[in-house]
């Protein structure tokens, strides 16, 4: 994003903070999604081993919040985590709601006991007054309302409406 080719991005809070520290052209506009990640785990037996994505230290907090600190933890490339679970090398993985939706017939899913911000909106400052950004905010907020008023799975992330700054 720092190449100025992109105007906005949806990032985890850690990556968003790293970007704005590296490039003063960007700001974190606001929190976007809460509880976008949880733990997908085997349906039977005790959960003793968990895996999270390489470098995604914030995912450790999800593990600790659900299972405490007395658990074996490893990390791996995000795209390999389902394989580790399938091959029973771990009992559970930190993953997003979308992955749960694909695998919910085979595994259970749990969210942390407290809400946490999983995604923020990062925007190039020059894009703040652009009509396309204003339209993006409106469309996003319409989508949030639609989800809020529709059927909700208890594991679905919480989408946070955005305010237009004056």
């Amino acid at each position: 994003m720092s190449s100025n080719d992109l105007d906005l991005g949806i990032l985890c809070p850690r990556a968003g903070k790293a970007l704005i520290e590296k490039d003063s052209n960007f700001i974190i506009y606001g929190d976007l999604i809460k509880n976008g990640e949880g733990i997908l785990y085997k349906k039977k037996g005790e959960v003793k081993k968990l895996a999270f994505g390489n470098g995604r230290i914030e995912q450790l907090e999800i593990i600790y919040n659900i299972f405490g600190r007395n658990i074996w933890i490893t990390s791996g490339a995000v795209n390999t985590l389902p394989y580790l679970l399938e091959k029973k090398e771990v009992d559970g993985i930190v993953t997003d709601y979308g992955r749960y939706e694909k695998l919910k017939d085979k595994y259970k899913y749990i969210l942390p006991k407290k809400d946490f911000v999983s995604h923020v909106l990062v925007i190039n400052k020059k894009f703040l007054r652009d009509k396309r950004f204003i339209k993006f905010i409106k469309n996003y907020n319409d989508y949030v309302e639609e989800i809020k008023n529709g059927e909700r799975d208890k594991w679905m992330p919480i989408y946070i409406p955005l305010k237009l700054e004056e």
Side-chain angles (χ1 to χ4, degrees), residues 44-148:
K44 295 181 180 174
E46 190 177 353
V47 176
K48 294 180 180 179
K49 299 181 204 173
L50 290 171
F52 70 99
N54 283 338
R56 297 185 177 190
I57 302 304
E58 66 277 3
Q59 292 183 345
L60 285 173
E61 289 307 312
I62 296 169
I63 294 170
Y64 296 152
N65 185 272
I66 296 170
F67 290 100
R69 294 181 180 266
N70 194 17
I71 194 158
W72 185 86
I73 300 170
T74 190
S75 65
V78 174
N79 59 341
T80 67
L81 297 182
Y83 177 80
L84 294 175
L85 184 59
E86 184 70 28
K87 294 298 179 189
K88 299 181 179 160
E89 292 184 33
V90 296
D91 302 321
I93 59 172
V94 179
T95 192
D96 60 31
Y97 176 79
R99 176 102 11 141
Y100 157 69
E101 271 296 308
K102 292 176 187 168
L103 299 172
K104 67 183 176 183
D105 293 336
K106 295 173 75 174
Y107 300 100
K108 292 182 182 180
Y109 190 70
I110 189 169
L111 292 171
K113 297 168 189 151
K114 66 175 187 155
D115 289 343
F116 68 99
V117 174
S118 53
H119 299 84
V120 296
L121 179 65
V122 178
I123 181 169
N124 191 315
K125 291 175 187 175
K126 70 179 174 128
F127 194 56
L128 274 171
R129 302 289 174 235
D130 191 297
K131 289 177 186 176
R132 294 172 298 161
F133 178 63
I134 295 166
K135 185 175 181 178
F136 169 82
I137 295 288
K138 182 190 176 322
N139 289 339
Y140 172 79
N141 286 339
D142 288 348
Y143 174 72
V144 170
E145 263 317 292
E146 189 177 309
I147 289 173
K148 190 173 151 187

Side-chain angles (χ1 to χ4, degrees), residues 16-54:
K17 184 178 178 197
L19 176 63
I20 66 168
E21 287 173 355
K22 180 181 168 189
D23 189 335
S24 63
N25 291 315
F26 289 89
I27 60 166
I28 294 178
Y29 189 82
D31 297 343
L32 212 56
I33 302 171
K34 287 183 184 175
N35 303 338
E37 295 177 309
I39 295 179
L40 189 68
Y41 62 102
K42 63 185 185 177
K43 287 190 173 187
K44 295 181 180 174
E46 190 177 353
V47 176
K48 294 180 180 179
K49 299 181 204 173
L50 290 171
F52 70 99
N54 283 338

